[in-house]
Amino acid sequence: MEWYELFIGFLLGVVEGLTEFAPVSSTGHMILVDDLWLNSSSFLGQEVANTFKIVIQLGSILAVIVVFRNRFKELLNPKELLAIRSSGPTKKLNLLHIFIGLLPAGVLGLLFEDYIDENLFSIKTVLIGLVIGAFFMIAADLSGVKRQTTATLDEISYKQALGVGLIQCFSLWPGFSRSGSTISGGVLLGMSHRAAADFTFIMAVPIMFGASALSLYSKWEYFTMATLPVFVVGFISAFLFALLSIKFFLKLINKVKLTPFAIYRIALAAAIYFLYF
């Protein structure tokens, strides 16, 4: 394994960590950076390179677990597992909220995982996702603020969790952004930006872990021990930079909302289009 290959793994981990929880699409950024400049497929192979972009999200998952460790302890407390009401707002977030939020995108992801890998990991599809997702975020800022009735994570209802889960299905299109879709969806459904962001980050842990495990399992035959160092370096850099970006984003989101991120997405898509197409 050459040093420059490890450096490419490090850079992609940095991109993943900095963009995973901002509503700008980490997968989209990694595809753009890799396909236009770094070209990891030249030494990993296309199948392993696509899996790498998914698996290094495990570093970001670990960062979420560290930041929200107290909340995860509460969610997994046996006493809290039974704290579920049949309808309406609950007094505390519980695992049923997470399950309801994960189910729609989880089912679609399993059904269309091969199709997404083979057809949607391209620069053009990412640009489309960036622009459409940006307008969705702007719409959430313009109309969602007037409806806010849910200020904190513990006020989220099961109905809201389901609505966010359905909207999260858009994020299966690379470039649309999981956090962009779910935070926007939460705001449109009456959550504050911070409550929607907190729910998004906690919900990301099982779905990102599942996506990484599924990708590893389905592409296992393409791996060799020679590729392991790149994955390790990418994982570590993704963890460190995600840790920084999560804390920064959570302090920022209620102040700036989603529109500045949407403007960045449109500007990025326009710049890439005019430079390369």
Side-chain angles (χ1 to χ4, degrees):
M1 183 63 60
E2 300 289 341
W3 282 106
Y4 84 92
E5 295 173 359
L6 294 177
F7 183 61
I8 288 174
F10 169 78
L11 289 179
L12 288 173
V14 172
V15 173
E16 156 63 23
L18 290 178
T19 60
E20 178 61 51
F21 299 105
V24 296
S25 178
S26 63
T27 302
H29 274 72
M30 282 195 289
I31 291 171
L32 291 175
V33 170
D34 196 20
D35 288 5
L36 293 176
W37 298 300
L38 300 181
N39 195 23
S40 66
S41 61
S42 65
F43 60 89
L44 290 176
Q46 190 60 56
E47 296 286 350
V48 176
N50 283 349
T51 298
F52 174 81
K53 295 181 182 73
I54 296 172
V55 170
I56 62 169
Q57 293 176 346
L58 291 171
S60 298
I61 292 173
L62 182 58
V64 175
I65 293 172
V66 170
V67 173
F68 288 93
R69 57 189 178 278
N70 292 330
R71 176 64 71 168
F72 281 110
K73 287 179 183 177
E74 292 178 2
L75 286 171
L76 297 174
N77 186 329
K79 294 180 180 179
E80 298 296 336
L81 296 180
L82 299 176
I84 298 173
R85 292 175 58 182
S86 60
S87 62
T90 63
K91 293 182 179 180
K92 181 171 283 191
L93 187 81
N94 57 62
L95 287 180
L96 184 56
H97 289 96
I98 310 302
F99 177 76
I100 291 171
L102 291 177
L103 190 60
V107 171
L108 284 183
L110 285 173
L111 292 175
F112 295 102
E113 190 253 346
D114 288 337
Y115 179 85
I116 291 169
D117 270 0
E118 293 169 8
N119 298 282
L120 298 183
F121 273 66
S122 70
I123 295 172
K124 289 184 178 180
T125 56
V126 167
L127 296 184
I128 293 169
L130 284 172
V131 173
I132 295 176
F135 283 111
F136 183 59
M137 289 159 59
I138 292 171
D141 268 359
L142 291 176
S143 60
V145 175
K146 302 173 184 177
R147 311 178 189 180
Q148 288 186 4
T149 58
T150 305
T152 68
L153 193 60
D154 288 321
E155 297 173 22
I156 294 173
S157 68
Y158 296 127
K159 183 178 180 181
Q160 287 173 315
L162 177 60
V164 170
L166 291 170
I167 293 170
Q168 185 175 220
C169 293
F170 290 121
S171 69
L172 294 173
W173 185 286
F176 202 95
S177 171
R178 179 176 49 255
S179 58
S181 62
T182 52
I183 295 173
S184 299
V187 171
L188 286 169
L189 293 168
M191 300 180 198
S192 68
H193 286 73
R194 177 59 190 263
D198 285 349
F199 185 57
T200 293
F201 290 180
I202 290 172
M203 193 169 57
V205 171
I207 199 166
M208 289 165 65
F209 181 83
S212 298
L214 179 62
S215 187
L216 274 174
Y217 176 77
S218 62
K219 302 295 191 301
W220 190 254
E221 62 186 287
Y222 298 101
F223 285 83
T224 66
M225 286 301 294
T227 62
L228 182 61
V230 178
F231 277 73
V232 172
V233 170
F235 173 90
I236 293 172
S237 60
F239 166 71
L240 293 174
F241 283 90
L243 201 59
L244 296 173
S245 66
I246 291 170
K247 293 180 179 180
F248 176 75
F249 180 75
L250 289 176
K251 292 179 181 178
L252 191 68
I253 185 61
N254 264 345
K255 296 179 181 178
V256 302
K257 308 298 190 274
L258 293 166
T259 300
F261 296 101
I263 293 171
Y264 163 77
R265 291 166 59 118
I266 294 170
L268 175 64
I272 296 296
Y273 179 81
F274 286 113
L275 285 173
Y276 292 94
F277 295 99

